[in-house]
Amino acid sequence: MERTGAQIIWECLVHEGVQTVFGYPGGAIMPAYDALLDYPIHHVLVRHEQGAAHMADGYARVSGRVGVAIATSGPGATNLVTGIATAMMDSSPIVCITGQVNSKLIGYDAFQEVDITGITLPITKHNYLVTDVRELTHVLREAFYIARSGRRGPVLVDIAKDVQQALLRDWEYDDRPIQMTGYRPDKSPLTADLQRAAGMIHEAKRPVILAGQGVLLSGAMEELREFAEKTQTPVAMTLLGIGCFPASHPLNLGMMGMHGEAWVNNAIQQSDLLLAMGMRFDDRVTGKLETYATQARKIHFEIDPSEVNKNVRVDSALIGNLRDTLGKLSAHIEACDHADWNDQITDMKGDSAVRDILNLPDNGHLYAAHVLNDLHRHTHGEAVVVSDVGQNQMWAAQYYKHDQPYTYITTGGLGTMGFALPAAIGAKFARPEANVWAIVGDGGFQMTQSELSTAAQEGIKVNIAIINNGYLGMVRQWQEFFFDKRYSATPLRNPDFVKLAEAHSLTGIRVTKRSEVETAVNQAETAEGTVIVEFCVEKEDSVYPMVPNGADLQNMIQRPVRAQEER
C-alpha cells in the first residue's frame, strides 16, 4: 500500500484501538488533519490545547486506555505542556502528537518553530522527533507501548510537516511485539523478597496498608481486598488511590495525609508495619519525614525502582506490577487476626467525628461539605467525580464516598487548576453511559471555562458543580491560618455563572440554600446537555483537618468546636 505520513499516523492509531482524539489544528499538523477525514476516529475540537491534554488524561484514567492529544507546532505544542506535566506526575498514559516545521527548517527559528522535544524532556516518559517517514510507524507503535507499559506516563511524538506529506511506497503495518534495548518494564519480585515480606507481615501487630493509584493502574483492586481481609489489615488511601478499596468496607480507614482523616494519620503514626502499595510517599502524605511512622517497618510495593528509598527509607521492596506481586505474595501469607488493632483505630474516631461539619444543623448557611455529602446521597455514590484543585478537591475527597474504582479523578502531583472540566469531558467520552460530575472552584473553573464550548458543540452531558466562595479558597485558607488573614490577591470578582451557561446555550442553576441542593441535582441530571450548578457557599470556610506544611503528621489543625457552636 502507498501511504503518506499523514495517513500512517491514523493507520497506526486505528491499529492501536484509538476511537477518540482531542486536538486543535494548525499549519504544521494540517496534512494530518486532512487525512483524518478518511478514518473512523472521532476528533474533539478543544478550545485550548491544554484542554486537549487534560481530556486525553481524563479519558485514560477512566478507561485504562491510552488517551491521545494533537496540536500544531510552536504555541500549539507549548500549550500542551501543563497537561503533559500533569499526566507525568500522576502516571497517566497519554500520547501527544504535535506537528513540526519542515525538517530542513528545524533549528533556523522558522515560523511557529519550537523545540518541543527539548521542552518536554523532563515531563515525558519518552519523546521523539520524526524527520524520516520510514521511521514513523515504528515510533508511533513504541510511543503507545511506552505510555501503557511499566509505570505509565505521557509520550510525545513531534512530526515534521514534510514527513506528513511524504509518500511511502509498499507500506504495511508491523504488528510484531515491541522490543526496546534497555527498556525492561516487566519486573517481578524474587521469591526470597516475598518470603521476607511475608515474615514481616506475620510479625506485625499494628499494620496499615497505604493504597495509592498504583492499585488502580495495575487493576489490583480484588487482590488488595483479598489481602486486606485475609490479614485483617486496615486500608488507608492516598488522594489518587480513592476508589481502589470500597469506602463502605469495614477495613477502609479513609484518606491519609495533609487533609486526611485524623484517625488515619494517627493510625499510621502508631503502626508497626506500613505496606505501601502503589504510592510514592509524597510530602502531602508523610508530613515531616523525620517523625513519619518512626515505629513502623515499611514494605514498598512499587513498579518503578527509582521511587524506592527516594523519600522514605524502607525495610523491604517488592518491585513489579502490583497485581502480579500480590498474587505471588498470597501464597506465602497466612490468615492474621488484628481485631484489637482495628478496635483501637475505631476508638480514635470518636473525638474527630464530633468535629465534623456534617454534624452541624441546617441553620441557613450553605457549606461545601453539605453540598458534596448531599451530592453523594442523591447520586447514590455512583457518579464519576472529577475534581479540580484546592478546597473543592479536598471536600470532594472527604465527603463523596466511592465504592467503585475509576470513579474519582483528580490531579495529584502537579495540582493543576483548570484540570476538572476538560478531564471530565474526556471521562465522559471514555464512559458515555456514566453520570459525570465535575467539582470545581470558582477560580480553577475560569482557567479552562472555554471548554464549555467544546461540550456544547459535541452535545455531551457533563454536570459541573461550581463551589463558589468568592476566593481562591485554599490560598485564602493558608492566608487565614499562617498570614494573619492578610488576603492578598485571593478575593475573586466572578462572572454570572448562570448567564455564562446560557451564553453557551446550556442550562445554569444557582443554589444558595441547602434545601435547594436536591432539586438542583435532580434538575441537572434530567436536563439535556451540560449543566452548570453554582453553589454559593460560605466564603471563609476551611478544609479540616489540616497538617501544616512541614509539621508532624499527627499534628493536625482540627475544626474548632467553638466555631461550630457559634454557627
Side-chain angles (χ1 to χ4, degrees):
M1 295 184 290
E2 289 187 345
R3 290 291 185 271
T4 65
Q7 292 173 316
I8 290 171
I9 292 172
W10 302 112
E11 293 277 1
C12 289
L13 265 58
V14 168
H15 277 88
E16 293 291 344
V18 175
Q19 298 175 333
T20 305
V21 298
F22 309 91
Y24 202 98
I29 196 68
M30 202 174 296
Y33 269 86
D34 180 66
L36 167 63
L37 295 175
D38 299 322
Y39 289 86
I41 292 178
H42 180 65
H43 178 271
V44 177
L45 177 62
V46 301
R47 295 307 186 265
H48 190 285
E49 290 89 351
Q50 179 180 342
H54 291 328
M55 289 181 199
D57 192 342
Y59 183 96
R61 297 196 204 202
V62 167
S63 68
R65 301 188 295 272
V66 176
V68 179
I70 301 179
T72 191
S73 63
T78 58
N79 282 344
L80 291 172
V81 167
T82 297
I84 293 172
T86 301
M88 184 66 175
M89 289 288 280
D90 291 348
S91 303
S92 190
I94 67 173
V95 169
C96 295
I97 298 173
T98 55
Q100 183 55 277
V101 301
N102 284 346
S103 57
K104 292 181 180 180
L105 298 178
I106 293 174
Y108 291 92
D109 294 331
F111 177 67
Q112 290 194 333
E113 179 194 359
V114 73
D115 180 10
I116 193 61
T117 52
I119 290 171
T120 60
L121 186 63
I123 56 169
T124 52
K125 191 175 175 185
H126 195 54
N127 65 25
Y128 299 85
L129 170 60
V130 184
T131 58
D132 186 335
V133 70
R134 293 170 295 181
E135 299 175 355
L136 185 55
T137 301
H138 186 68
V139 164
L140 287 169
R141 292 189 64 233
E142 278 193 357
F144 277 84
Y145 173 68
I146 293 171
R148 64 174 167 245
S149 61
R151 180 179 181 176
R152 300 178 185 180
V155 178
L156 181 136
V157 182
D158 196 33
I159 307 172
K161 186 174 183 178
D162 53 325
V163 171
Q164 300 171 49
Q165 296 169 318
L167 183 65
L168 186 63
R169 302 183 186 280
D170 299 323
W171 177 85
E172 61 181 354
Y173 186 77
D174 182 2
D175 58 0
R176 290 174 295 178
I178 293 289
Q179 292 184 337
M180 299 179 63
T181 303
Y183 181 59
R184 301 284 188 271
D186 300 322
K187 298 179 176 64
S188 183
L190 300 174
T191 301
D193 292 331
L194 293 169
Q195 292 173 340
R196 182 166 181 264
M200 295 169 64
I201 292 167
H202 292 144
E203 293 170 5
K205 303 298 182 185
R206 302 184 306 279
V208 175
I209 293 171
L210 309 180
Q213 192 186 24
V215 180
L216 296 164
L217 292 174
S218 64
M221 291 76 69
E222 185 64 22
E223 287 76 9
L224 169 61
R225 186 187 62 78
E226 291 177 356
F227 179 89
E229 291 176 350
K230 186 175 184 179
T231 61
Q232 283 299 292
T233 302
V235 180
M237 283 161 293
T238 67
L239 176 68
L240 293 183
I242 290 174
C244 74
F245 194 75
S248 59
H249 196 288
L251 289 172
N252 187 314
L253 296 182
M255 185 174 69
M256 68 184 88
M258 179 174 281
H259 294 290
E261 306 289 3
W263 61 85
V264 179
N265 291 343
N266 286 326
I268 290 170
Q269 292 297 78
Q270 296 177 29
S271 68
D272 64 359
L273 178 66
L274 295 181
L275 299 106
M277 299 184 179
M279 55 87 74
R280 57 188 178 86
F281 291 109
D282 176 77
D283 60 289
R284 292 297 175 98
V285 162
T286 63
K288 187 178 180 180
L289 286 173
E290 291 79 4
T291 59
Y292 178 70
T294 56
Q295 305 174 53
R297 292 196 288 180
K298 302 168 183 72
I299 303 173
H300 199 172
F301 298 71
E302 179 56 61
I303 198 168
D304 183 357
S306 69
E307 291 292 349
V308 176
N309 295 321
K310 185 174 80 174
N311 297 325
V312 172
R313 298 291 300 178
V314 300
D315 300 274
S316 178
L318 300 178
I319 306 299
N321 178 280
L322 179 60
R323 182 178 181 180
D324 296 339
T325 299
L326 283 176
K328 293 174 180 177
L329 181 62
S330 64
H332 303 275
I333 297 296
E334 298 177 0
C336 304
D337 182 6
H338 294 121
D340 292 344
W341 172 231
N342 284 301
D343 289 343
Q344 184 179 338
I345 295 174
T346 300
D347 291 340
M348 294 180 193
K349 298 181 181 180
D351 183 57
S352 299
V354 299
R355 298 173 183 268
D356 196 297
I357 194 171
L358 293 183
N359 292 314
L360 291 178
D362 184 358
N363 56 5
H365 295 274
L366 181 62
Y367 295 101
H370 289 152
V371 172
L372 270 302
N373 182 72
D374 292 352
L375 181 63
H376 172 264
R377 185 170 70 253
H378 297 317
T379 59
H380 309 290
E382 297 174 352
V384 173
V385 173
V386 185
S387 76
D388 215 82
V389 171
Q391 289 180 316
N392 66 87
Q393 179 185 40
M394 294 300 112
W395 282 316
Q398 291 174 336
Y399 295 103
Y400 198 104
K401 307 299 182 182
H402 297 265
D403 277 334
Q404 298 300 319
Y406 314 115
T407 56
Y408 182 62
I409 309 300
T410 193
T411 163
L414 200 64
T416 307
M417 291 180 68
F419 170 84
L421 174 57
I425 293 172
K428 185 67 175 180
F429 274 102
R431 288 186 56 191
E433 81 291 350
N435 180 14
V436 178
W437 278 85
I439 311 298
V440 299
D442 44 334
F445 171 71
Q446 293 182 73
M447 289 191 171
T448 53
Q449 65 182 1
S450 60
E451 300 308 337
L452 285 174
S453 293
T454 302
Q457 180 168 337
E458 290 292 330
I460 65 165
K461 181 170 183 55
V462 172
N463 298 312
I464 305 162
I466 301 178
I467 309 300
N468 184 2
N469 56 14
Y471 283 100
L472 298 176
M474 188 60 83
V475 182
R476 183 215 59 77
Q477 176 171 332
W478 282 55
Q479 289 172 336
E480 176 186 353
F481 289 0
F482 309 118
F483 293 89
D484 298 323
K485 292 189 175 183
R486 291 165 59 87
Y487 295 159
S488 174
T490 49
L492 287 172
R493 182 184 183 277
N494 292 319
D496 185 322
F497 292 117
V498 172
K499 289 183 178 179
L500 180 66
E502 293 171 353
H504 289 86
S505 299
L506 302 173
T507 301
I509 306 168
R510 180 173 292 113
V511 174
T512 60
K513 300 176 182 178
R514 188 176 185 185
S515 59
E516 300 170 345
V517 172
E518 180 175 3
T519 299
V521 172
N522 290 337
Q523 185 179 348
E525 294 191 332
T526 55
E528 290 188 11
T530 291
V531 177
I532 287 180
V533 186
E534 177 190 8
F535 294 97
C536 300
V537 300
E538 286 294 296
K539 290 184 177 298
E540 294 186 79
D541 194 17
S542 296
V543 179
Y544 296 97
M546 177 181 180
V547 180
N549 206 24
D552 299 341
L553 187 61
Q554 74 275 17
N555 290 338
M556 293 157 279
I557 300 173
Q558 300 275 14
R559 178 176 295 278
V561 175
R562 179 176 297 177
Q564 293 189 54
E565 293 171 349
E566 291 173 353
R567 288 170 174 161

